[in-house]
Amino acid sequence: MPEAQSDQQGDQTPGGWRAHIFRLAPLVLTLFAAYAIYQARDLEIRSLSEPGPGMWPLIVSSVMGISSLLLIVRDIPEDYEPWSLRSARVLGGIAVLAAFVWFFDVLGFVPSAFLILFIWMKVLAHESWRLSLLLAVAGAFSLNYIFVDVFAVPFPPGLVVITSGG
Amino acid sequence: MDGAMQGLEVALQPTNVLYVFIGVLIGTVIGVLPGLGPTATIALLLPLTYDLEPATAVIMLAGIYYGSMYGGTITSVLLKLPGEAASVVTTFDGYQMARQGRAGPALGIAAIGSFVGGTVAVIGLTLMAPFLADVAVQFGPPEFFALTVLAILMVTYLGTRSPLKSLAMAAAGLLLATVGQDPIEGQQRYTFDTLQLWDGLDFVAIAMGLFGVAELLHQLEQTDNVQLITKKVKNILPTRKDMKDSAGPIARGSVVGFFIGVLPGGGGVISSLASYAMEKKRAKDPSRFGKGAIEGVAGPETANNASSTSAFIPLLTLGIPANVVLALIFGALLVQGITPGPQLINEHPDIFWGVIMSMYIGNVMLLALNMPLVGIFIQMLRVRQGILASFALLVTMAGVYSINNDIFDMWIVLGFGVIGWMMKKTGFEPGPLVLAFVLGPILESSFRRSMLLSDGSFSIFVSRPYSGAVFGLMLVLLVASFIGKRRAGDSLVMRVDDANAAADALVGDRTGESLPIDASSDATKGGADSGVVDVDDARGPTDLRRR
């Protein structure tokens, strides 16, 4: 985080709300812990001499809540990686993966595997058309063979069912 | 000795020999490829171990772990790019040796040192593990509670940049472990009427998401402009003088690595750092360090291999994983229906001794692989990261589906992959979360059983000798780290960027000489008394965030 390293205590970060944006992460954690504590109350807590199913979740979510609450106050921005345009590529990657899971259910393994390999290599990793196409086709079929025929994994049938009799 | 002989029989079975070979080969390869570390690789390969015998599965995963320690050296020497965190220290002198045209001896001595360190640690493991297992049989819930808390505390304090953040993550891991059936009364907790959550969150899916998918997503943000010093490595066999100079560091590194590896949270980079510090302190001319001293390669490389082997001791004898990689192996055994612990040596001697004995074979294989084949491993650096990542993701997704043949698990992996990426961006480490998630059920049930035994009194944890001793140790560690923090000024943790300064700090020798790598401005932030190193920040001078 070279950008962030220059300011030891966050004193020189941009002013206003942006200087505190890094506190969002512990805030989310605190809210998560608060919700877990609230839910734990619905389970039986009982007493220390006879702890119920809710006792342990209450203890650990309280530890989580207290530590993340302290982090809102004490954490320093040096720990945070700056967001950049390259971060958008990650969002693209997540979208590709989500599409893969959805297509996997609908189309089956081979077409969806081809799509994830091709899009990842061509669009996200900027490989050539020819190499991306070649590797995507070879990868989709060979991994289908390994999982379906060697490991006997019952992939969803989808549009294309390819086995060699396994 | 009967057990050891039985283990040797298991280890020499052709299937197991094959899987040791596959394990150490994969380990070496992923150690070479900077994109994937042992943690991510083991996480990604977990589903593929389901169809294997338990002993075979652990033999392979262990091979990946200590194999990666060998492989990580190659990129440290040739690229100044540690393939895995523990090889950071090797960049100091190994890279300088490569620049002086001595890449061959650097890699050669690292392979020899790793072999010796690994072998010494396996012998130590063979001798020490049964003794510890005998003691641990007497442990009850309070002792297991104490040991589990110690493991989580150590992983929270050691090897992390912010203990408070790690504590929050550990608590989150413990909370996630409560999802599903209550281990004692069977009541559903946090399942939100979702059938797939009744058995709890799948450990493999969480590990694959947080380590595997998150790492691969994070790589999309990184640039990879590294330069290979040389593609040709000559004279891999060290000279007689090299061997003479390295004998002491290798011997000391074996011992240091062994004992540090046994400590929870102590493996990997801390052992190599401690060895480097020791060698520099002992050297007649410490100024040679950082400029291509072969002792600076031999000692740390020996130590990190010794520690990665001895780290199996607490896992196999107490059922407590010393670090995150061991937590993954612990999880692999749980999935196979085997709970590692004091009973393992009696109930599953084939696994206990088979894994230990396979390490002897694995270490010989690694030496045989690394000395002649280093040139081939270097060629692997030509595999581009985008291609590797796309295939790794596909194998991950298909692999996680194969666990339960359920698409729900794929969504869980993707969800935790996104969470893991966000954690990387915001400085939260996944290690404490996953370790706590694995240990959560043990911790909860031992806590509740202890409370039932003591009628709700916490004194049970300090009034029994073993648990009292463990809590006493924890208190000492906490006080020591607090004092260290006060002396250090503002931070308990130092960065690996500053690891050479840290090496000095560990032995109280602050010569103030220039660092061999580009130290960041807060070089002294860690302070003189802290031995804490940010494992995840194991980056060198070029942008090493590819890991």
Side-chain angles (χ1 to χ4, degrees), chain A residues 28-159:
Chain A
V28 169
L29 267 184
T30 310
L31 293 175
F32 184 59
Y35 181 70
I37 292 170
Y38 176 75
Q39 286 283 319
R41 290 188 328 145
D42 290 345
L43 302 163
E44 285 181 74
I45 293 170
R46 297 188 208 141
S47 65
L48 275 175
S49 57
E50 196 194 342
M55 171 75 78
W56 185 249
L58 182 69
I59 293 172
V60 294
S61 47
S62 301
V63 172
M64 185 177 158
I66 293 166
S67 50
S68 46
L69 207 57
L70 282 172
L71 277 171
I72 296 178
V73 183
R74 292 187 48 182
D75 206 11
I76 49 174
E78 283 81 2
D79 254 1
Y80 292 76
E81 269 188 30
W83 298 87
S84 66
L85 275 178
R86 294 183 77 91
S87 308
R89 291 174 73 190
V90 180
L91 297 179
I94 294 167
V96 171
L97 282 172
F100 167 76
V101 180
W102 190 75
F103 280 127
F104 177 70
D105 201 12
V106 178
L107 302 177
F109 181 77
V110 172
S112 45
F114 169 80
L115 282 175
I116 187 179
L117 288 174
F118 180 74
I119 295 174
W120 203 278
M121 284 186 273
K122 181 73 201 94
V123 181
L124 296 173
H126 305 300
E127 295 294 340
S128 69
W129 281 97
R130 202 165 66 168
L131 186 69
S132 304
L133 266 173
L134 192 75
L135 286 176
V137 171
F141 280 99
S142 54
L143 285 172
N144 184 75
Y145 173 77
I146 291 170
F147 277 97
V148 176
D149 293 314
V150 179
F151 291 118
V153 178
F155 280 152
L159 289 178

Side-chain angles (χ1 to χ4, degrees), chain A residues 1-2 5 8-9 25-26 29 32 35-36 39-40 43-44 46 48-53 55-57 59-61 63-64 67-68 70-71 74-76 78-84 86-87 89-91 93-94 97-98 100-102 104-105 109 113 116-117 120-121 124-125 127 131 135 139 143 147 151 153-156, chain B residues 48 51 145 161-162 164-165 167-169 171-172 174-175 178 182 185 187-190 192 213 216-218 220-223 384 386-387 389-391 393-395 397-399 401-402 405 407 410-411 414 418 421-422 424-428 440 443-444 447-448 451-452 455-456 458 485 490 495 497 520-522 525 539 545:
Chain A
M1 286 158 280
Q5 277 176 0
Q8 285 286 313
Q9 296 298 327
L29 267 184
F32 184 59
Y35 181 70
Q39 286 283 319
L43 302 163
E44 285 181 74
R46 297 188 208 141
L48 275 175
S49 57
E50 196 194 342
M55 171 75 78
W56 185 249
I59 293 172
V60 294
S61 47
V63 172
M64 185 177 158
S67 50
S68 46
L70 282 172
L71 277 171
R74 292 187 48 182
D75 206 11
I76 49 174
E78 283 81 2
D79 254 1
Y80 292 76
E81 269 188 30
W83 298 87
S84 66
R86 294 183 77 91
S87 308
R89 291 174 73 190
V90 180
L91 297 179
I94 294 167
L97 282 172
F100 167 76
V101 180
W102 190 75
F104 177 70
D105 201 12
F109 181 77
I116 187 179
L117 288 174
W120 203 278
M121 284 186 273
L124 296 173
E127 295 294 340
L131 186 69
L135 286 176
L143 285 172
F147 277 97
F151 291 118
V153 178
F155 280 152
Chain B
L48 302 182
D51 292 331
F145 179 77
R161 186 164 26 199
S162 161
L164 194 56
K165 278 185 161 175
L167 181 65
M169 285 297 95
L174 293 174
L175 184 62
T178 65
D182 161 30
E185 297 179 24
Q187 188 176 332
Q188 294 296 328
R189 301 184 297 192
Y190 301 115
F192 309 104
V213 174
L216 295 166
L217 287 173
H218 191 243
L220 280 173
E221 281 186 272
Q222 313 302 320
T223 51
R384 286 191 288 276
I387 296 172
S390 60
F391 275 89
L393 281 166
L394 187 55
V395 172
M397 285 301 190
Y401 173 83
S402 71
N405 301 327
I407 286 175
M410 296 168 99
W411 289 115
L414 181 54
V418 176
W421 170 62
M422 301 286 281
K424 274 181 177 292
K425 296 289 291 179
T426 52
F428 286 90
L443 195 60
E444 177 178 4
F447 171 75
R448 284 169 66 180
M451 288 292 100
L452 286 169
D455 202 22
F458 286 101
K485 186 180 176 185
D490 62 348
R495 292 158 189 272
D497 289 358
S520 58
S521 57
D522 49 356
K525 201 172 168 183
R539 298 157 190 163
R545 293 184 201 170

Side-chain angles (χ1 to χ4, degrees), chain B residues 218-303:
Chain B
H218 191 243
Q219 281 174 16
L220 280 173
E221 281 186 272
Q222 313 302 320
T223 51
D224 44 13
N225 49 346
V226 290
Q227 284 188 330
L228 199 60
I229 276 253
T230 174
K231 285 183 180 171
K232 287 183 182 170
V233 178
K234 293 177 193 166
N235 303 326
I236 192 123
L237 276 178
T239 61
R240 189 170 288 181
K241 183 179 182 306
D242 289 337
M243 290 300 289
K244 194 177 161 214
D245 290 343
S246 305
I250 287 174
R252 288 184 289 274
S254 300
V255 178
V256 168
F258 178 81
F259 284 106
I260 291 181
V262 178
L263 297 174
V269 71
I270 296 172
S271 60
S272 46
L273 196 57
S275 167
Y276 189 81
M278 181 187 275
E279 295 313 321
K280 191 170 178 181
K281 174 81 176 170
R282 290 180 60 92
K284 285 180 188 161
D285 177 14
S287 67
R288 286 172 51 244
F289 279 72
K291 295 171 187 166
I294 198 161
E295 300 95 315
V297 177
E301 279 299 316
T302 307

